[in-house]
């Protein structure tokens, strides 16, 4: 049946390509007088209420990756735009993004009127769809976070900055290692995308973060829910899309210098970004440096070896013409991370260095003040090269994206030989995505294509945790959208096949890994509607089927490594996870308030999780590793269900248009279909479910504050996380986590000269004003050793922290 479905999808693609070719031939005959199918768009951008022009406003075509800014009179001009359907986004600081769908068949003049910011989460998205579309027209819940919001949010890493989005949490191992959790699901159930390519870097590991340069990110899009239709396996829980490179306007060279200092761990970061565009040749280049010492909190003091540093660079170069664009994107990510073990001296309660070795000693104040990393530590290097193309063929579009990436992850844990690479994964991945967008036919916008990856993983370290393997993915899909006057319908179908070839390995004379080959085939799809009965109301509903093939760690792991404190056994007969999710939501955006409600129900068949392995004599099964007994864990599968809600309420009473009281609340509950661990209470709860959370923010926002200040803001935030007592108690895997309330604040502004030109932007923030001692339920440091002096288990999260960010824009050349 699956083979027949694949043939069916292929037939649809071929027939649509033939039809498109006929359409193009007829179009070419009719429009033979045009040597190139290109047009221009021009007009003026004004304030919708006052009628004032808005110099510096941005006009951007997402799919075409071309844009410009309005001149001193608020006028703009874009040329060499291919004929056909386009989504244009108009934006300006302090105003809501305006999104319009336009059909270009000749030169067009169009004025745009922007309204002051009322709702932040508006604009164009590219995540989970075949082409750019507005957030309001997407039937699935998608959140867009702009650079301006990221600058106003103090954070230790990019995932930490995203946890203000309802439904998004983080699994953390200290301030440098964070993994996104969307609606209670994470790891390989979430696809991370960076500049159009899915990031592949051993994301199955607890202490493996994502390899994204936080300071270079210009925009983030978060899709909550199954997205296997567009991305295949691993998008069962959602997608986090990081966008780094944004082309400069034609005829300009621009840049920016960004610095950040944080007091808690002495973090210092600096980023330089420069971009230019002349006659369609455009480029971008950035570089970042980041260094932090050990963070501190009220109970633990300085947390030994929570330090880290990064050195990253990247950019792109390419051409944009009337036929489309072709870009070469490159990046290098290099991060060194200390791993927190949390061992304490029984008599003093102080942290211990090199625990369990002949070098064991109590850490001194000097040790805690250093920035040099102790073992255990990691070094993560991620290199990427991408060729991104978009060709206009008549009113058709051909998108081809091919990427190569190499992830080098080294772990060091021997104090007697600090340079010894105990674990060394060398992962090489070739990604490909080919997509054909057909011409609009009676408001139907259809695309078809195929995508996948080829992957090879090698072990080059002293120890081997998972076998070496080869992997090949391929999937074909059809996706369509239908625009109505007050609504949008979208949906599609996809078929995927993953082939995994795991290799044999001997450890000395003992066979540690047997060779095996596995094939996983799955069908995914979605169908949904977005209905806008008025300009102020949007109603959404969607049903989607997603899937995830087991990782090699789940199929075949046999070992332990620093930071996990467990010995893992894989299971070769695991099946693919399959989910069916229902989503519904409503958004109300009025002059005095905005309200949003999203609800979901997700049933997952064959959900994969790890649990403690029981000994044949009762109690925990222990494995002796280098003289230390480590608890053994094994992977299991059971059917599960998750459900939850996300609420948002933003009160902005007029005439106090500058005042906002923003509230968000998120709740998710996950349960197995049956109790585990001999029907023990709480053993039917799914592991790693975040606690309910409410966030309230009172914010004053002044676009024109007078004098040298523009876009001045001040805010006070209350972040309440409730007690998590619905934890996975089976096999003593998790424990309850108490609730806590954190108070945060911030203030910032653009500083301008007499000509209203921005000289620099300054953002000052403080988190955890009360210096509360707290533990997040998803913090892995919560399960480190008990402090026998205080009786407290684990390591606590960060205490009070002040953050200062300075951003200096540079206009090196103007049109």
């Amino acid at each position: 049946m699956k083979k027949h479905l694949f043939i069916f999808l292929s037939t649809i693609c071929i027939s649509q390509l033939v039809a498109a070719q006929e359409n193009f031939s007829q179009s070419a005959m009719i429009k033979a007088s045009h040597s190139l199918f290109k047009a221009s768009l021009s007009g003026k951008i004004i304030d919708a209420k006052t009628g004032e022009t808005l110099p510096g406003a941005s006009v951007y075509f997402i799919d075409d990756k071309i844009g410009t800014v309005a001149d001193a009179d608020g006028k703009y001009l874009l040329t060499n735009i291919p004929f056909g359907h386009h989504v244009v986004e108009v934006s300006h600081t302090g105003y809501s993004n305006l999104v319009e769908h336009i059909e270009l068949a000749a030169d067009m003049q169009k004025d745009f009127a922007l309204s002051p910011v009322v709702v932040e989460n508006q604009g164009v998205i590219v995540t989970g769809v075949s082409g750019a579309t507005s957030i309001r027209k997407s039937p699935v819940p998608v959140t867009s976070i702009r650079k301006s919001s990221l600058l106003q949010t103090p954070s230790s890493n990019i995932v930490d900055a995203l946890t203000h989005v309802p439904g998004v949490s983080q699994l953390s191992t200290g301030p440098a290692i964070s993994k996104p959790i969307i609606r209670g699901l994470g790891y390989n159930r979430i696809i991370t995308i960076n500049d159009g390519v899915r990031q592949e870097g051993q994301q199955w590991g607890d202490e493996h973060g994502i390899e994204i340069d936080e300071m270079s990110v210009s925009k983030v899009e978060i899709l909550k829910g199954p997205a296997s239709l567009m991305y295949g396996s691993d998008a069962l829980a959602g997608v986090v899309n990081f966008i780094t490179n944004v082309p400069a306007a034609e005829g300009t060279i621009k840049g920016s210098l960004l610095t950040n200092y944080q007091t808690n761990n002495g973090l210092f970061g600096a980023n330089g970004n420069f971009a230019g565009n002349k006659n369609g040749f455009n480029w971008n280049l950035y570089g970042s440096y980041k260094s932090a010492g050990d963070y501190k909190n009220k109970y633990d003091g300085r947390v030994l070896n929570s330090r880290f540093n990064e050195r990253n660079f990247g950019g792109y170069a390419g051409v944009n013409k009337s036929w489309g664009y072709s870009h070469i994107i490159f990046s290098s990510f290099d991060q060194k991370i200390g791993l927190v073990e949390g061992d304490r001296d029984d008599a003093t309660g102080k942290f211990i260095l090199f625990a369990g070795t002949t070098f064991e000693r109590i850490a001194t104040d000097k040790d805690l003040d250093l920035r040099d990393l102790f073992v255990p530590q990691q070094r993560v290097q991620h290199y990427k090269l991408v060729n991104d193309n978009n060709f206009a063929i008549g009113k058709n579009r051909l998108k081809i994206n091919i990427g190569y990436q190499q992830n080098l992850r080294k772990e060091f844990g021997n104090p007697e030989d600090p340079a010894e690479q105990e674990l060394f994964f060398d992962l090489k991945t070739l990604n490909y995505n080919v997509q054909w967008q057909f011409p609009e036919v009676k408001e139907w916008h259809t695309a078809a294509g195929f995508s996948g990856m080829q992957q090879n993983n090698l072990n080059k370290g002293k120890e081997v945790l998972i076998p070496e393997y080869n992997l090949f993915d391929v999937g074909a899909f059809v996706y369509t959208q239908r625009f109505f006057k007050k609504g949008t319908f979208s949906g599609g179908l996809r078929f995927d096949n993953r082939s995994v070839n795991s290799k044999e390995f001997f450890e000395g004379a003992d066979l540690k890994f047997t060779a095996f080959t596995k094939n996983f085939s799955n069908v995914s799809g979605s169908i949904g509607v977005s209905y806008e009965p008025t300009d102020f109301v949007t109603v959404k509903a969607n049903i989607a089927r997603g899937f995830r093939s087991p990782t090699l760690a789940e199929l075949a792991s046999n070992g332990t490594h620093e930071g996990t404190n467990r010995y893992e056994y894989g299971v070769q007969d695991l099946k693919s996870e399959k989910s069916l999710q229902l989503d519904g939501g409503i958004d109300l955006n009025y002059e005095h308030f905005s309200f949003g409600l999203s609800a979901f129900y997700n049933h997952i068949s064959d959900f994969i999780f790890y649990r403690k392995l029981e000994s044949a004599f009762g109690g925990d099964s222990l494995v002796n590793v280098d003289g230390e007994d480590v608890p053994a864990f094994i992977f299991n599968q059971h059917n599960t269900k998750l459900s939850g809600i996300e609420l948002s309420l933003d009160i902005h009473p007029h005439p106090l248009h500058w005042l906002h009281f923003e509230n968000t609340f998120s709740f998710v509950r996950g349960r197995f279909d049956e109790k585990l661990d001999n029907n023990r209470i709480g053993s039917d709860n799914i592991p790693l479910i975040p606690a309910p959370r409410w966030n309230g923010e009172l914010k004053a926002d002044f676009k024109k504050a007078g004098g040298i200040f523009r876009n001045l803001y001040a805010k006070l935030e209350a972040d309440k996380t409730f007690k998590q007592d619905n934890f996975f108690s089976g096999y003593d895997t998790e424990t309850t986590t108490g609730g806590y309330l954190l108070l945060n604040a911030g203030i910032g502004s653009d500083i301008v000269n007499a000509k209203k030109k921005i000289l620099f932007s300054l953002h000052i923030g403080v988190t955890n004003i009360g210096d509360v001692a707290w533990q997040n339920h998803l913090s892995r440091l919560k399960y480190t050793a008990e402090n026998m002096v205080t009786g407290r288990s684990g390591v606590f999260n960060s205490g009070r922290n002040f953050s200062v960010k300075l951003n200096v824009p540079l206009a090196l050349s103007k049109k």
Side-chain angles (χ1 to χ4, degrees), residues 103-122:
E103 197 75 27
L104 279 180
D107 294 344
M108 179 183 291
Q109 186 170 2
K110 187 173 181 63
D111 296 337
F112 296 105
L114 299 184
S115 300
V117 167
V118 174
V119 181
E120 293 285 348
N121 188 34
Q122 296 294 346

Side-chain angles (χ1 to χ4, degrees), residues 252-256 273-275 283 757 809-814:
T252 65
I253 299 176
K254 66 176 185 178
S256 66
N273 192 315
F274 299 90
W283 55 272
K757 176 185 175 182
L810 303 172
L812 305 179
S813 175
K814 297 182 179 180

Side-chain angles (χ1 to χ4, degrees), residues 299-369:
Y299 286 166
D300 300 307
R302 292 279 178 197
V303 176
L304 179 65
N305 211 28
S306 58
R307 56 201 69 175
F308 64 95
N309 61 73
E310 292 179 19
R311 294 172 175 83
N312 314 311
F313 68 89
Y316 85 97
V319 291
N320 289 64
K321 297 292 184 180
S322 58
W323 47 261
Y325 67 80
S326 181
H327 295 164
I328 298 292
I329 305 169
F330 61 93
S331 64
S332 170
F333 178 91
D334 190 349
Q335 183 185 56
K336 296 179 181 178
I337 314 167
L339 296 176
V340 178
E341 292 187 303
D343 293 297
R344 325 275 184 132
D345 177 64
D346 289 347
T348 65
K350 294 184 177 181
F351 286 106
I352 296 176
L353 265 175
F354 315 127
T357 72
T358 56
F359 293 93
E360 179 179 313
R361 62 179 175 85
I362 296 176
T364 65
D365 291 340
K366 183 178 180 180
D367 293 327
L368 294 168
D369 289 336

Side-chain angles (χ1 to χ4, degrees), residues 28-36:
M29 293 175 63
I30 295 172
K31 301 178 180 179
S33 59
H34 293 266
S35 58
L36 290 173

Side-chain angles (χ1 to χ4, degrees), residues 673-695:
D673 285 356
E674 58 186 15
K675 289 186 177 181
L676 310 179
D677 192 12
N678 299 319
N679 292 322
R680 181 176 177 177
I681 296 175
S683 65
D684 59 342
N685 294 316
I686 297 175
L688 299 175
I689 295 295
R693 183 182 180 190
W694 167 79
N695 184 280

Side-chain angles (χ1 to χ4, degrees), residues 5-21 396-398 434-439 446-451 475-479 493-495:
L5 179 59
F6 186 81
I7 294 172
F8 171 70
L9 290 174
S10 301
T11 303
I12 291 177
C13 293
I14 293 171
S15 62
Q16 288 277 8
L17 284 171
V18 171
Q21 179 60 42
N396 302 269
R397 288 294 184 95
L398 174 62
V434 179
Q435 184 181 131
W436 184 276
Q437 290 184 345
F438 302 99
T446 303
F450 61 92
S451 62
F477 68 90
V478 175
Y479 178 88
L493 198 63
R494 181 184 179 105
F495 173 77

